[in-house]
Amino acid sequence: MMLSMQQIYQEMAAEKLRLRLTILAVAWGTFCIATMLATGEGLRQGLMRSSQSNADSLLYITGGYASQTTGHFFEGKALSLQVDDADLLRALPFIERAEVSAIWNQPVRRNNNYTWQEPIAVNPEYQSLTGIEITEGGRWINPLDNQQQRSVVVLGYKAAVQLYNTQDNDLSWMGPQMLSVNPVGQTIKIGTQNFTVIGLITKTTTQMEGIPADYAIFIPLNTWKKFNPSSAIMAINVQLNTMVDRKKAAKVIKQIIARKYSASVSDLQLLQVEDMLLRQKSLLRFLFGLQGFLGIIGLITLGVAGIGIANAMYATVKRSTRDIGVRMAVGATPTTIKLHYLAQALLTMFMGGLTGLGATYVLITLLKHASFKNSILFEQLGEPLPELSFTITLLVIVALTIIGVIAAWFPANRAANITPLEALQSE
């Protein structure tokens, strides 16, 4: 065995330039497949982090437009949901909770600073439904705030940055976003009304009401009613009981609301029910597909390197034809010859693969210390840093082994079929 390994090293050393180029090709292929898989894994984990919250298990119900003329509705008429619609849904046995939310179409500003998000009016129970967390020193809307229609507001972290940071800290999509002051206890204007900030939402990348929670602005629902006594609400957030058929539940909800407003129960456009859980599953499938696509691209690159190994092995077999004949003449079997060249190919793949994985690890380590870690875009994607996990490393090693065996198989067979007479006749 030691003699065989010595021969392998000697043959590889005899083709130093070709060996180096082959190892470089394998290293590049390994770097491509490992980097792409790690990028896909990082993006998948980041987007999952940015979309995971208690709200992901809710049904998000909004009004639509009638597509049929029935009862009080004509084609094209909008359905405006009301607060008491939630009470109607709470009576259904398969619904655990239902909370309304409304948009107040007023600008939010502090001095000369504005935020693009309009206030969302909710009940105090909205926090436990969605899992919103408040930073230390502040609080969420309480029942007394709602009952007394107090002018209080809870800000998302980025909304507070936009309102309270000075002009010297203008927002940049690739710049750090750090709040310069504590807004709790200070005032802002919603429209022409003064509101006191009572809480700051913990910095997060999750979504609420279809917008990033960091930009959300919440006020008591009854306060909104005081200024908008006859306005329609924006949505109803419904939490279903466990083990409930979600599609059937959504269908029943549509029928109940349609009957209340004397509309057609078969009108699919009248009420929009978005299942956040199904959307989460669809996103997960998409991310796995994206990761697989990136892996296939890297695998193709690695396959090209395998072709290089096969060519190098053919050249080695041709150059070593006499040596192969001599070995077979003194007792070497075809299996021994075949294993010899398979081992040589796998050793080349191992050297290139180790180099490629090392380069990938260095790149990922550098990216983790990059300056864009605190940028808006990066945070909204859930900080999708490439992740070279154990599973990805194992997949790369398996791919290297399979491609190495396939690349060496035909040259090894060619070497094993050489006869002593053929070897002696070769030049």
Side-chain angles (χ1 to χ4, degrees):
M1 186 65 181
M2 291 300 297
L3 179 61
S4 177
M5 292 303 298
Q6 184 178 357
Q7 289 177 344
I8 290 174
Y9 289 134
Q10 288 174 349
E11 290 180 3
M12 294 174 70
E15 299 285 348
K16 289 183 179 179
L17 179 59
R18 182 174 291 154
L19 176 66
R20 288 171 182 169
L21 292 176
T22 303
I23 290 176
L24 181 61
V26 174
W28 174 249
T30 303
F31 176 79
C32 287
I33 187 173
T35 302
M36 288 184 178
L37 285 174
T39 301
E41 178 65 13
L43 184 61
R44 184 184 69 83
Q45 292 184 7
L47 289 177
M48 290 303 295
R49 282 193 297 269
S50 68
S51 61
Q52 283 180 345
S53 68
N54 291 359
D56 290 332
S57 62
L58 303 178
L59 296 182
Y60 187 68
I61 303 171
T62 55
Y65 293 88
S67 61
Q68 304 174 19
T69 300
T70 306
H72 299 301
F73 278 83
F74 54 85
E75 186 175 351
K77 181 180 179 180
L79 171 63
S80 299
L81 294 174
Q82 301 298 322
V83 174
D84 59 353
D85 292 338
D87 298 328
L88 184 64
L89 296 182
R90 290 188 189 104
L92 296 175
F94 56 83
I95 290 181
E96 184 174 341
R97 302 172 66 181
E99 294 296 335
V100 303
S101 59
I103 286 287
W104 191 7
N105 298 315
Q106 291 291 334
V108 180
R109 65 183 177 88
R110 176 184 174 273
N111 298 331
N112 294 323
N113 291 353
Y114 287 82
T115 179
W116 58 270
Q117 179 55 41
E118 295 174 331
I120 302 173
V122 295
N123 284 314
E125 294 78 13
Y126 186 86
Q127 181 187 22
S128 59
L129 181 69
T130 57
I132 293 175
E133 296 182 0
I134 304 299
T135 58
E136 186 176 355
R139 66 174 178 86
W140 178 249
I141 299 165
N142 63 34
L144 202 57
D145 294 328
N146 202 36
Q147 180 183 351
Q148 297 182 357
Q149 300 179 328
R150 292 175 177 172
S151 297
V152 293
V153 61
V154 175
L155 298 177
Y157 187 89
K158 296 294 178 57
V161 169
Q162 292 178 324
L163 291 170
Y164 283 92
N165 278 18
T166 62
Q167 295 299 323
D168 295 334
N169 294 322
D170 284 342
L171 297 181
S172 167
W173 283 101
M174 295 304 292
Q177 301 297 306
M178 302 303 295
L179 187 59
S180 59
V181 297
N182 182 6
V184 176
Q186 301 193 42
T187 60
I188 61 173
K189 278 190 176 294
I190 299 178
T192 59
Q193 305 297 318
N194 287 324
F195 277 71
T196 302
V197 179
I198 60 171
L200 182 68
I201 298 174
T202 303
K203 197 174 182 181
T204 179
T205 58
T206 59
Q207 303 279 324
M208 295 290 173
E209 304 289 336
I211 63 171
D214 268 357
Y215 290 94
I217 300 171
F218 293 102
I219 63 173
L221 183 66
N222 286 344
T223 304
W224 169 79
K225 285 182 183 180
K226 180 174 66 173
F227 297 103
N228 305 272
S230 58
S231 296
I233 62 172
M234 176 180 65
I236 304 175
N237 297 276
V238 173
Q239 181 179 3
L240 299 176
N241 292 327
T242 56
M243 307 303 292
V244 171
D245 188 317
R246 302 181 71 86
K247 291 185 178 180
K248 288 184 178 179
K251 184 178 180 180
V252 172
I253 289 172
K254 287 184 176 182
Q255 293 174 347
I256 293 293
I257 297 296
R259 288 194 182 100
K260 178 190 174 183
Y261 289 96
S262 300
S264 173
V265 295
S266 61
D267 191 343
L268 300 179
Q269 304 300 321
L270 185 66
L271 193 71
Q272 302 298 317
V273 180
E274 185 176 5
D275 193 329
M276 298 302 180
L277 185 60
L278 295 181
R279 188 180 72 170
Q280 185 85 350
K281 291 180 179 179
S282 298
L283 176 62
L284 186 61
R285 286 193 293 267
F286 167 76
L287 293 174
F288 273 122
L290 176 62
Q291 191 173 12
F293 175 73
L294 293 175
I296 289 173
I297 295 176
L299 190 62
I300 292 173
T301 306
L302 192 58
V304 173
I307 295 173
I309 288 183
N311 290 333
M313 294 301 297
Y314 270 118
T316 301
V317 169
K318 184 176 181 180
R319 184 184 58 80
S320 304
T321 300
R322 278 184 171 273
D323 295 337
I324 294 170
V326 172
R327 291 181 62 195
M328 296 185 71
V330 297
T333 63
T335 300
T336 303
I337 299 298
K338 189 181 295 185
L339 291 175
H340 173 89
Y341 287 101
L342 283 173
Q344 185 172 332
L346 290 175
L347 182 59
T348 304
M349 289 293 286
F350 173 77
M351 295 169 67
L354 188 63
T355 304
L357 285 173
T360 304
Y361 177 79
V362 171
L363 175 64
I364 292 175
T365 302
L366 291 175
L367 287 176
K368 288 182 178 179
H369 295 88
S371 60
F372 57 76
K373 189 171 182 180
N374 291 320
S375 71
I376 292 178
L377 182 60
F378 186 75
E379 289 179 352
Q380 290 307 315
L381 290 176
E383 300 185 359
L385 286 170
E387 186 69 32
L388 188 61
S389 64
F390 172 78
T391 302
I392 291 176
T393 304
L394 183 61
L395 285 173
V396 171
I397 293 173
V398 170
L400 284 168
T401 304
I402 293 174
I403 292 176
V405 170
I406 293 175
W409 186 259
F410 296 103
N413 272 338
R414 173 73 181 87
N417 292 328
I418 294 176
T419 64
L421 180 60
E422 182 183 356
L424 292 174
Q425 291 176 346
S426 66
E427 297 182 1

